[in-house]
Amino acid sequence: MSDEPSWSEFYDRVADRPPHETVVGALDRFEREGRRTGFAVDLGCGDGRDAAELARRGWRVLAIDAEEEAIERLRARPGLEAVETLVARFEEATWPRADLVNAGFSLAFCAPEHFGEVWRRIVESLRPAGRFSGQLFGDRDGWAGDAEMTFVTRSEAESLFAGFELERFDEVDEDGHLVTGAPKHWHVFHVVAKRA
Ligand SMILES: C[S@@+](CC[C@H](N)C(=O)[O-])C[C@H]1O[C@@H](n2cnc3c(N)ncnc32)[C@H](O)[C@@H]1O
């Protein structure tokens, strides 16, 4: 991943971007069910683009990221004073039961040797009728082969959601760009899923 920007540069580039469609989709679905607020865990929250939307909609949020700089930037955003934060790696972090676990473009950065356990804890932490929203990276992604990251085939991605109702499962497999403008092939699953 030599062409990958540093996290610091990444946070600079995405600072003004809106929340991901996946978290918005999950929140809209909760609202349609009459559940206007709840407790969300934002895993790999970065500088807080999704946490900001959760807080704006009145959700209680625990935002977790391995990078101290991410949490500092999140805390500097207006309106996020009530957001709880934790600097921790996925595999070290613990979190309470939640209505929503969100992971916007972050879980792929979990090393394969930890991914299964982290995924198990995500699923177990979801309350009945809770949701997962976020992205998984596919096996044809331009970074596939990076031993520190986790990539899944379509059928592996689908089997992660056994016991869920898949409300959105969109596969993107196309050439595109990094936030820096450098070319990259993206193979990504965009997911919103509701736990039975
Ligand atoms: C591509 S960024 C996405 C950030 C944010 N969710 C967004 O969409 O803007 C991935 C984030 O995951 C975090 N991250 C990477 N590996 C991690 C790990 N093992 N544990 C926790 N966070 C990690 C990085 O620090 C980074 O902030």
Side-chain angles (χ1 to χ4, degrees):
M1 275 196 314
S2 54
D3 52 354
E4 192 198 350
S6 68
W7 288 129
S8 196
E9 183 179 2
F10 174 83
Y11 303 141
D12 278 343
R13 301 256 186 184
V14 302
D16 298 325
R17 296 211 182 169
H20 292 296
E21 281 178 20
T22 35
V23 74
V24 172
L27 292 175
D28 289 349
R29 285 175 172 86
F30 279 116
E31 285 197 15
R32 287 200 291 272
E33 294 167 348
R35 300 164 72 188
R36 303 198 74 81
T37 64
F39 171 59
V41 178
D42 190 10
L43 285 178
C45 57
D47 76 326
R49 68 191 278 185
D50 288 350
E53 178 67 4
L54 287 157
R56 189 185 70 79
R57 295 208 195 188
W59 281 61
R60 197 159 67 79
V61 185
L62 171 60
I64 301 174
D65 200 285
E67 295 291 317
E68 204 157 333
E69 183 182 347
I71 299 299
E72 281 167 13
R73 287 180 180 243
L74 181 152
R75 299 219 66 88
R77 284 183 184 245
L80 272 70
E81 296 77 14
V83 169
E84 293 172 60
T85 54
L86 179 64
V87 177
R89 301 182 62 79
F90 303 126
E91 59 271 26
E92 294 159 354
T94 58
W95 56 89
R97 298 201 88 192
D99 303 295
L100 172 66
V101 174
N102 179 60
F105 284 88
S106 56
L107 274 184
F109 296 94
C110 181
E113 65 265 33
H114 299 302
F115 185 85
E117 171 64 12
V118 169
W119 185 255
R120 190 187 63 75
R121 286 195 288 115
I122 289 172
V123 174
E124 281 187 0
S125 69
L126 280 173
R127 295 186 176 125
R131 286 186 166 87
F132 170 85
S133 56
Q135 284 71 25
L136 298 168
F137 282 18
D139 57 320
R140 292 187 295 280
D141 192 81
W143 288 337
D146 184 321
E148 299 299 308
M149 296 181 64
T150 297
F151 302 89
V152 291
T153 63
R154 183 182 176 99
S155 72
E156 286 169 343
E158 285 169 344
S159 60
L160 290 173
F161 293 98
F164 285 78
E165 178 191 343
L166 278 176
E167 299 176 311
R168 175 177 177 178
F169 189 81
D170 291 340
E171 182 174 9
V172 169
D173 190 355
E174 65 185 20
D175 291 335
H177 297 91
L178 295 169
V179 291
T180 54
K184 184 195 172 231
H185 187 81
W186 292 100
H187 186 199
V188 178
F189 301 98
H190 299 271
V191 183
V192 179
K194 182 176 179 182
R195 199 175 171 193

